[in-house]
Structure formats: structure tokens, C-alpha cells
Amino acid sequence: MDFPSSPFWDFSLALYGTDGVPPACLRLQERHGIDVNFLFFCIWRGLSAGPLDAETLRERHEAIADWHQIVVRHLRSLRQRLKEPVGPIDRDLAQALRARIQKIEIDAEHVEQVTLSAGHVPSTEGKRDAIAARRDAASNVEAYFVLLRASQDDDDRRDVEILIAAAQSLL
């Protein structure tokens, strides 16, 4: 599948490959049902171009919410279900199928990210002030939690801080 060039996708791949990031994402997913793609978007946008206003945040979330729920989550659920044997099906065949589903799941997330970042490009005016960028990323994440009607506890704030620090080291 051919995808358009996407600074956000490139950023997300690098961020997810950073030590400590996958477990922090998983904890936030498990505690609040966080869409990691949207969480990464909030952080990327805050660090690279500033805060999102509430209307833009809501509009971006609505643009991908159905796709994430109907496509990404169902693919993830199916892939996770195939970790264990399903009836008398040959385990090697099932695992080969699971690997293909994982690739499709990643493509579905890529589609989501292209949609999310449409029209949002990083600032080309040089590196932003680190303190302001960090504040904007945290503000965007907090606004996402509000949109989800969730509140951050100390564990959530620690995980978000892990993500923002790792993301900031990439930009």
C-alpha cells in the first residue's frame, strides 16, 4: 500500500520505538481506552506547532473516531485473540495469519494518522522553546482526557511525561 509522506507517521514510528514508550502507551490504553494515535497527535502537534483549540481537537477526534472504533480496534482485538489457539487449527498457520493481520492493523493506523494530521504541519520556523512546547503538548493531552471524560491521576501524568520527554528528544 502506498501512503503519502507524513511527518506525523515518521514521528510516531520513532516515538513508539523509544524505550519506555510502548509500556506507557499500553497502560494508558488499558486505564482509559486511549487511542494512542490520537495521543501521539496531541503530543506531536503541541511540541511542533503549539496547542490545539477545543474545536479543532474535537473536529480531529470526530474525523477518526469511527475508523478507530470500527477498523483499528476490531483488527487489534482479532490479532490479540489469535495469540491463543482457536480450536484444532494448525498453530503455525494461525500465527502466520496473525502476522498478516498485524500488518493490516498497522496500515489501518497509518490511514488514521494521515487523516488526523491532514492540514497540520510542523512549524518551519525552527525549534520551538522547549518549555512552551512541553506545556502545549501536555495541554493538548489534558484536553484529550477532557474530551474522553477522563481525569488524569499521578500514574497517568507519569506515563504522559514519559511520552512527552521521549517525543521532545526526537524533535
Side-chain angles (χ1 to χ4, degrees):
M1 199 167 168
D2 293 327
F3 287 97
S5 175
S6 171
F8 175 46
W9 178 252
D10 297 340
F11 163 83
S12 294
L13 289 177
L15 180 56
Y16 201 78
T18 303
D19 286 341
V21 168
C25 291
L26 185 58
R27 289 187 297 266
L28 289 165
Q29 257 183 338
E30 289 174 349
R31 286 194 298 261
H32 301 288
I34 293 287
D35 173 353
V36 171
N37 295 303
F38 199 80
L39 179 65
F40 281 11
F41 176 71
C42 290
I43 293 168
W44 175 73
R45 179 55 162 72
L47 292 176
S48 64
L52 291 160
D53 61 68
E55 182 179 335
T56 302
L57 184 89
R58 191 172 36 263
E59 181 239 34
R60 293 288 76 207
H61 190 259
E62 287 173 2
I64 55 87
D66 287 343
W67 178 264
H68 185 78
Q69 184 64 38
I70 295 166
V71 178
V72 175
R73 283 192 175 183
H74 281 103
L75 287 167
R76 181 177 303 128
S77 177
L78 178 58
R79 176 183 53 80
Q80 290 171 336
R81 174 60 183 96
L82 289 174
K83 284 181 182 178
E84 300 299 322
V86 179
I89 301 300
D90 180 276
R91 182 144 176 87
D92 291 339
L93 290 174
Q95 290 311 300
L97 178 61
R98 183 177 183 272
R100 288 182 65 195
I101 291 168
Q102 184 172 28
K103 289 178 181 174
I104 294 167
E105 179 187 352
I106 291 168
D107 283 348
E109 289 182 322
H110 198 158
V111 169
E112 180 179 332
Q113 286 203 3
V114 167
T115 303
L116 258 177
S117 62
H120 295 269
V121 294
S123 173
T124 57
E125 299 176 12
K127 196 164 185 162
R128 296 184 66 228
D129 173 72
I131 294 170
R134 210 175 181 91
R135 181 188 63 237
D136 292 343
S139 173
N140 287 347
V141 171
E142 179 63 33
Y144 178 38
F145 269 77
V146 169
L147 185 68
L148 295 176
R149 294 186 176 102
S151 58
Q152 291 185 53
D153 63 18
D154 289 340
D155 291 336
D156 297 327
R157 281 187 278 283
R158 271 191 296 279
D159 285 335
V160 168
E161 182 54 34
I162 289 168
L163 299 177
I164 292 173
Q168 201 163 31
S169 73
L170 298 172
L171 297 177

